[in-house]
Amino acid sequence: MKALLIALILLGGAGAGAADTAATEALNSFRAANNRAALSYSDLLETAALRHARDMAAWEFFDHRGSDGSDVAQRVSRTGYRWCVVAENIAKGQATLQEVMSGWANSRGHRRNMLSREVTEFALVEAPGRIWVMVLAAPGC
């Protein structure tokens, strides 16, 4: 699985790989500049993000709703993650992590998700077709 993630140049590998480290640094730098606590990277949230990104790539669509009608809450729950708060940012076409983060930072809803005081964990992936999915959540409650 990790080799496939690297081969597809996905952001976020199992554990603290270089790609999820870059995503973590980018998001947490943005949060710190806005007086927000740092988030931890979650492998389960990565699974949900990756499945949705691959779904959009395979079926050639771009939407928060999956091809099976699922929303982010359902996709995260399917991984076994017991969430209390969950949010999702999607983007398409940006060539770099910096571009996608900048785009989201300048979009009211995406920015609100990235700066939420309620979330404690996240994951970010890039799938073929430059489809980016970020899932943010907090476990429990």
Side-chain angles (χ1 to χ4, degrees):
M1 178 74 164
K2 183 141 179 146
L4 178 60
L5 294 176
I6 292 168
L8 293 175
I9 313 172
L10 293 170
L11 285 177
D20 63 7
T21 299
T24 300
E25 289 175 5
L27 179 58
N28 285 334
S29 292
F30 177 69
R31 287 179 61 86
N34 288 277
N35 299 311
R36 298 296 191 274
L39 303 182
S40 299
Y41 199 88
S42 166
D43 291 338
L44 288 177
L45 295 179
E46 180 183 276
T47 297
L50 182 56
R51 287 176 181 167
H52 187 50
R54 286 180 175 166
D55 183 38
M56 288 190 287
W59 293 100
E60 298 180 351
F61 73 96
F62 183 72
D63 199 312
H64 286 284
R65 187 144 315 270
S67 64
D68 63 355
S70 63
D71 62 24
V72 65
Q74 292 166 316
R75 291 189 296 273
V76 169
S77 293
R78 287 178 192 158
T79 70
Y81 189 100
R82 296 179 159 278
W83 58 272
C84 160
V85 175
V86 66
E88 178 181 69
N89 288 354
I90 61 175
K92 184 174 180 182
Q94 292 83 354
T96 67
L97 174 61
Q98 182 178 358
E99 287 178 27
V100 78
M101 292 296 291
S102 178
W104 284 335
N106 290 304
S107 165
R108 187 173 164 171
H110 295 110
R111 179 183 183 89
R112 182 179 58 244
N113 288 344
M114 293 192 309
L115 294 177
S116 172
R117 293 181 192 274
E118 297 177 14
V119 300
T120 58
E121 300 179 334
F122 87 104
L124 174 61
V125 302
E126 180 192 8
R130 300 206 187 273
I131 297 171
W132 302 80
V133 177
M134 176 186 281
V135 178
L136 307 103
C141 282

